[in-house]
Amino acid sequence: MKIVTLNAKTLIIAAVAFVTVFCILMIAVSGGVFNGGETTGASGRVGGKELPIYRVKTSESDKRISITFDNAWGADDIPSILATLKKYNAKATFFVLGTWAEKFPEIVKQIYDEGHEIANHSYAHYKPTKLSEQGIKDEISKCNAAIKNVTGKECKIYRAPYGDYNDLVVKTAEQMGMYMIQWDVDSLDWKDEMSADAIYQRVIERVRPGSIVLFHNDTNHTQDILPKILEKLYSDGYQFVTISELIYKDGYIIDNNGEQQINQ
């Protein structure tokens, strides 16, 4: 029988290699490659890319969805939108600019007082991928301050302007304790060429349990088509909840389609 002997240098190299591989595996398991958002933050690392939450995985019988509005310009249609939401017992999430909150504090307070969620859409609507890490932090923190000044409540929900993000944007938001939100149903209501019927069809055909639906206020058709959309979804058994009520706060992953799921 041939006996193989290993010298001290070979043993040291082997030990270092083993420890390196072991550490990489432990980081992958505990640091977000397989397990996103253990305590705060909305990102889950999938295939090396940071993703926000586009939708939430629910059972087919759990027909909760979130209706969301991005608010950046005017506010004349907000009373009409709020009246429609109240009619269908719908709670929505309004993503507001900090500048919008400062310009329309009474409107923001009314939205909040009627049981809806006020969320962060940045302070001044800059594309966050064009900003430095500090610039991203400033946009989020200034908007949070403007929201808290009106509602008295800390904000933990963030949507980037234009839906614009990269790894730095997602990780920065996460480090600030924010859950970053996209959407899986885009109404395209901001496009002037979109008719009310086209907006209706887009939404109704795409919604499913766990969906996050994107609308905007201050558009040509949103306030007028919203009652028809909510009537149809309500009759189909959907419940309308805020983003904070829809998403998982911990123990989740986000798959490569942006769907948030319980980590099992």
Side-chain angles (χ1 to χ4, degrees):
M1 181 175 67
K2 183 178 181 181
I3 298 175
V4 177
T5 60
L6 300 176
N7 59 34
K9 180 177 180 181
T10 301
L11 288 172
I12 292 171
I13 292 172
V16 170
F18 173 81
V19 171
T20 301
V21 171
F22 179 78
C23 290
I24 290 172
L25 288 174
M26 291 303 296
I27 291 169
V29 171
S30 64
V33 178
F34 306 113
N35 188 12
E38 283 297 315
T39 53
T40 61
S43 73
R45 183 175 290 278
V46 179
K49 181 175 177 59
E50 296 289 343
L51 293 173
I53 300 169
Y54 280 76
R55 56 169 286 104
V56 176
K57 184 176 183 178
T58 67
S59 67
E60 287 300 316
S61 61
D62 181 4
K63 301 186 74 171
R64 292 176 302 139
I65 62 174
S66 284
I67 301 295
T68 70
F69 299 89
D70 285 0
N71 306 267
W73 317 121
D76 291 345
D77 57 352
I78 294 296
S80 173
I81 289 172
L82 291 178
T84 297
L85 294 172
K86 185 175 182 179
K87 179 179 179 180
Y88 293 97
N89 193 30
K91 299 305 179 185
T93 297
F94 289 76
F95 287 89
V96 305
L97 293 186
T99 54
W100 198 86
E102 291 172 348
K103 185 175 181 180
F104 303 108
E106 298 87 359
I107 293 290
V108 174
K109 187 67 162 54
Q110 181 184 0
I111 294 170
Y112 179 74
D113 287 347
E114 293 193 16
H116 305 291
E117 182 171 41
I118 306 297
N120 188 316
H121 195 38
S122 83
Y123 183 76
H125 214 260
Y126 299 131
K127 280 192 172 183
T129 58
K130 304 296 184 183
L131 301 176
S132 65
E133 180 178 352
Q134 187 58 51
I136 297 167
K137 289 180 178 179
D138 289 345
E139 282 290 296
I140 293 174
S141 61
K142 287 171 66 179
C143 183
N144 277 349
I147 291 171
K148 187 175 182 180
N149 188 52
V150 176
T151 66
K153 185 176 180 180
E154 297 286 348
C155 177
K156 295 294 183 181
I157 307 297
Y158 168 66
R159 173 179 285 160
Y162 310 100
D164 179 54
Y165 70 89
N166 55 20
D167 282 3
L168 177 62
V169 176
V170 179
K171 289 300 291 183
T172 301
E174 177 185 346
Q175 289 163 6
M176 296 179 72
M178 308 296 289
Y179 295 88
M180 187 168 174
I181 307 298
Q182 292 286 95
W183 57 85
D184 67 316
V185 180
D186 188 350
S187 68
L188 297 182
D189 57 353
W190 57 272
K191 287 191 172 184
D192 291 340
E193 63 270 24
M194 288 290 289
S195 68
D197 285 343
I199 294 168
Y200 173 84
Q201 290 299 329
R202 277 191 62 86
V203 174
I204 298 305
E205 290 172 0
R206 289 166 171 77
V207 165
R208 55 195 174 107
S211 280
I212 297 172
V213 187
L214 171 64
F215 292 103
H216 300 76
N217 84 303
D218 196 32
T219 67
N220 290 336
H221 301 297
T222 301
Q223 67 174 323
D224 298 322
I225 198 60
L226 188 63
K228 185 178 178 181
I229 291 173
L230 294 192
E231 175 67 35
K232 171 60 175 171
L233 295 175
Y234 184 82
S235 68
D236 287 344
Y238 285 100
Q239 295 177 282
F240 312 107
V241 300
T242 66
I243 291 292
S244 288
E245 293 171 317
L246 182 67
I247 65 174
Y248 304 114
K249 301 303 198 308
D250 53 43
Y252 65 80
I253 60 172
I254 299 174
D255 73 10
N256 56 11
N257 293 312
E259 181 177 77
Q260 188 194 39
Q261 308 172 9
I262 288 292
N263 187 26
Q264 298 178 346

